[in-house]
Amino acid sequence: MRFLSAFLALALACPTGLHAVVSVSVNIPMAGAPLSGAQAGSAAFGARTPANPDFTLDAPRLDTLFQTASQELVRTLDGIAAIPAGQRTFQNSVLAIDNAYAKCSEAMAPVHFLGAVSPDENIRGAADSIRARFSDLMVDQSMREDLYRAVRSYADQGEALQGEDARLLAMMLRDYRKSGMELPAIERSRYMAIEKRLSELAQAFDKNLREWDDGLAVRPEELGGVPKAVVDGLEKLPDGRLRVSVEPTVYSQVMRKADSARLRMRLYYRREKTAAKANLPIMQEALKLRHESARLLGYKNYAEKALDGRMAKAPKRVWDLLLRLKKLLRPSADAESAEVLARKRQEVPGAAKLQPWDMGYYGSKLSEEALGFDPEEVRAYFPVEKIVPETLRIYEELLGLRFVKLDVPVWDADVQAYEIHDAKTGERIGRFYLDLFPRKGKRGGAAAYSLIQYRELSDGTFREPVSAVVANFTRPAPGQPALLRHGEVKTLFHELGHVMHQTLSTTKRWSFSGSSTAQDFVETPSQMMENFIWQPQVIQRLSGHYQDPSKTLPQALMDKLLAARNYHSASETLGQAAMAAMDLAYHSAVPKDILAVYRKVMESFTGESVDRASTFPLRFSHIIRGYAAGYYSYLWSRVFAQDVFSAFAAAGVMSPAVGARYRRAILERGSSVDEDILLRDFLGRDPDEKAFLRWLGIDPGRPQS
Ligand SMILES: [Zn+2]
């Protein structure tokens, strides 16, 4: 689930202006807009002005910064609203609003970021409390009727706009419409009340999950099979027993390793109680209100509303993909389940079926036996001192860049800063930070933060973008350098893929800069880059044993690593497709029984009956938070990631020529044109699913009836 946390962090750390509050997607069909030529983006490349965000501010100064930035935002927006009718221009109205939010977002960058990364608890606390106030301010400003009227009255003048400017106006009008601004007064106030209630429900749903604290008290001898490191980490109770909590990390470790089926069963049933009673009515109410709000705006259902402006455009295209995947993946997934059941029968002769508490356990046994793969062995070849510089060199080579290490003040001694230059012209493009290791209070998981975005300034220069990779890679064991798991190398490639998307923009308007694309496209550049770490030639370059760097990953280990990649991947992908289908089903019609719909969709996708005690949707918070009718985005982005990578693969993988084309056609253009057009310009044809299916191990040439 790491990709989703990264995704969420992006959304949180991304531009916080009008469209980010009203709706994070900005994609509108503007086929034929002047910027659609693959070279067009480069025309905007120009002198850069740094914003110099200060990430060493203390708590009181963060508060001053917020006061100043919010006052200036409100003052500027007041001024825009007060312009007399007849004097409105694109510059003094539409562009002025975009720039006001951009300026505020630039000023607020340290606040957004330090809440996640500052080593100082006071600073994190101050930043979080300011963020909550800032978010209220943003909601109030984005709902201002006088500003909507300002934009509307400019639009009514009918001035002909081109390219990004035409797109910016259309996007603002669409976002205002989708936030209920065009409704008659009574309906509008109902719409606002629904939005407010939905936000309360989302917070309550999350709070119930966050505060849920449950587990089993077990005797140490019941934990046979569970690794010592996991057992040592369990809480010791006064009576000598150990507490196995239902918290996700402990839960999955114990469920995969505990030999006692009885223990796994008890833990499974205990976990299914998680916040279920409290969250069922919350989810029911939220789905009902979302449906009502979509109907108020004239949509058939919430899924139609959510997809208006995304790359997929309408639910039917997503359903088509999911149902196609179901059909194509089912035979392999069924075979995988049969193997797991056969493995169970070796220990439980005659077992009729796999129980929900068997899958992880026998699945993990089977994969260890089949692959004979010890991730620890691979790690010895991935020391961080080798991986990070070599990864950066690969990015430099592919994209025609040069990264120069910077000596600037940072928020923690572990952090490294780099300046990005164009390799050919030497021009300075932007900056990024790497903050790779855990420390107390730092945000968990991995994410790419877009801190400052490229845009045209009033003096004709361009704002220099700033991004950061924040991760929590394994710290060095005593006497060893930091060694990365292969999955962590993948994370580094993924997050840097986002950072390049965020910093290489040459769009004029802030709203279209960097990774401000439609939600169902934003993971395409990052997932595309993950492909590189599965290429033998790249693994050779990246690896070097920590005791003898001249020794790259041996062929036998390489073979095992590559074999592990697709091992039982059909079941996993089918499961994701099923969850995406469940999410879409919930937002297509108000379900009478949330859990019955869940069981029906899962059973239809996997062909296996779902345990009646399972309450999975009631702890699946993506649906309640930012991913309503959006869980499909991961698979959807992946289809295009694989299609884009196929161009690299066809040119021998490490191809600077394809990299340059990718940079110009996709990375530099942000969301300034439709994502379909970006892809068509890069690929020289319409995007398709063939590479994605091959990646899943399915022959795309097979006739699909
Ligand atoms: Zn990502």
Side-chain angles (χ1 to χ4, degrees), residues 204-212 274-275 279 618-619 621:
F205 190 95
D206 265 356
K207 188 163 178 277
N208 290 337
L209 289 176
R210 234 180 12 250
E211 292 179 356
W212 189 262
T274 305
N279 277 351
L618 305 176
R619 56 178 184 275
S621 58

Side-chain angles (χ1 to χ4, degrees), residues 387-427:
I387 292 288
V388 172
E390 198 57 38
T391 299
L392 295 179
R393 269 194 287 277
I394 287 171
Y395 268 85
E396 287 178 324
E397 244 174 80
L398 277 175
L399 300 174
L401 302 169
R402 203 160 50 81
F403 302 141
V404 181
K405 207 160 177 182
L406 279 181
D407 188 15
V408 290
V410 287
W411 53 95
D412 187 85
D414 268 351
V415 178
Q416 297 175 346
Y418 292 86
E419 209 163 61
I420 310 170
H421 293 256
D422 184 87
K424 224 182 244 161
T425 65
E427 278 171 292

Side-chain angles (χ1 to χ4, degrees), residues 2-3 6-7 10 494-495 498 522-523 526-527:
R2 191 203 50 74
F3 75 93
F7 207 48
L10 265 171
H494 178 103
E495 302 305 344
H498 279 310
V522 76
E523 293 294 317
S526 50
Q527 296 190 105

